[in-house]
Amino acid sequence: MSSEEITVVHLMRHGEVHNPDGVLYGRRPGYHLSDLGRKMADRVAEHLAERDITHVVSSPLERAQETATPIAGAHNLELATDERLIEAANVFEGKTFGVGDGALKKPGNWKYLTNPFRPSWGEPYIEQVVRMMAALGAARDAARGHEAVAVSHQLPIWIVRSFAERRRLWHDPRKRQCTLASLTSFTFHGDKIISVGYSEPARDLVPSHLLAGAKPVKGKTKAFGA
């Protein structure tokens, strides 16, 4: 294979999930796209329809698989699955995180909040980097000289982007630039990342309180790490 090949891997965050109880669903099964989430997936499939995509792969979780399916269909590709694209593990799975209520008000959970740099409440950031870089490399290899789409989740995407752009891994979750159905695109020259881009093809469909930098609204969760 030529070291001069240019390959693009688009890391896509899944669309909106049907989650009326505001649960931090994490790796739990059974959480599917909402009707709006399906519209987001279709919008991105339309956006990418003319791109040179030869490989589509997804996290094993339902919401990611459902997001990837119309993209794979638009290019007549079989959808692959990579366990390394899965959501970050989190001890707060199954709990609510509303503003002014939820898990953070319970003293029994405070022991998990002692170290934001690792972080103490879930999968270490460096472990997310290792697995996501491996998944990126696998998608790149599967689409050498072309483009790939890999559907994953907000936190792992933001962490691997931060690593690639040489930023610290610990951060304020409210400031992640990784909205629903967004594309974080890694361009490779051979095996080397030479640029990282970001776009939001379905931005007009995303509820305003879920956009990056939006102020918290009581009763509406940001679904951190979703």
Side-chain angles (χ1 to χ4, degrees):
M1 293 183 183
S2 170
S3 62
E4 301 302 311
E5 286 174 328
I6 297 296
T7 308
V8 180
V9 179
H10 304 281
L11 269 184
M12 180 181 176
R13 185 182 172 194
H14 61 79
E16 184 189 64
V17 174
H18 179 66
N19 183 22
D21 297 325
V23 171
L24 195 153
Y25 32 78
R27 294 181 173 180
R28 292 188 166 208
Y31 284 89
H32 298 267
L33 293 183
S34 65
D35 290 341
L36 180 59
R38 293 181 186 279
K39 290 180 182 178
M40 292 176 182
D42 289 341
R43 170 72 64 79
V44 179
E46 292 171 6
H47 174 77
L48 295 173
E50 301 303 317
R51 302 297 291 260
D52 183 24
I53 292 167
T54 60
H55 181 64
V56 181
V57 61
S58 171
S59 155
L61 296 173
E62 294 99 329
R63 58 192 185 271
Q65 295 268 317
E66 292 164 0
T67 298
T69 295
I71 299 171
H75 294 273
N76 296 313
L77 296 171
E78 183 176 346
L79 176 60
T81 299
D82 190 332
E83 296 279 347
R84 294 170 295 193
L85 293 170
I86 200 167
E87 173 63 289
N90 192 310
V91 298
F92 294 115
E93 283 183 17
K95 298 179 172 61
T96 59
F97 262 80
V99 178
D101 58 10
L104 294 182
K105 292 194 71 175
K106 299 177 181 179
N109 290 330
W110 294 350
K111 62 186 177 183
Y112 298 118
L113 304 174
T114 56
N115 184 358
F117 306 106
R118 183 178 183 269
S120 52
W121 55 82
E123 182 182 10
Y125 292 138
I126 192 61
E127 292 183 10
Q128 295 180 54
V129 167
V130 170
R131 65 176 172 86
M132 290 295 289
M133 286 297 293
L136 268 177
R140 175 203 63 214
D141 291 345
R144 287 275 184 180
H146 305 279
E147 300 183 34
V149 176
V151 180
S152 187
H153 307 267
Q154 185 191 61
L155 179 55
I157 294 172
W158 180 248
I159 288 300
V160 76
R161 177 182 173 182
S162 296
F163 175 79
E165 295 181 333
R166 299 183 179 181
R167 289 195 304 274
R168 68 190 186 202
L169 301 183
W170 59 273
H171 61 281
D172 182 343
R174 297 168 297 181
K175 296 181 179 180
R176 295 173 190 157
Q177 189 184 40
C178 188
T179 198
L180 292 165
S182 61
L183 299 172
T184 301
S185 302
F186 296 76
T187 299
F188 291 84
H189 181 221
D191 291 346
K192 182 180 179 182
I193 296 172
I194 58 173
S195 68
V196 181
Y198 177 78
S199 60
E200 298 176 352
R203 182 181 176 88
D204 62 303
L205 299 177
V206 179
S208 60
H209 71 282
L210 295 177
L211 294 170
K215 294 182 179 180
V217 177
K218 189 169 184 178
K220 294 184 178 181
T221 68
K222 292 270 288 188
F224 295 136

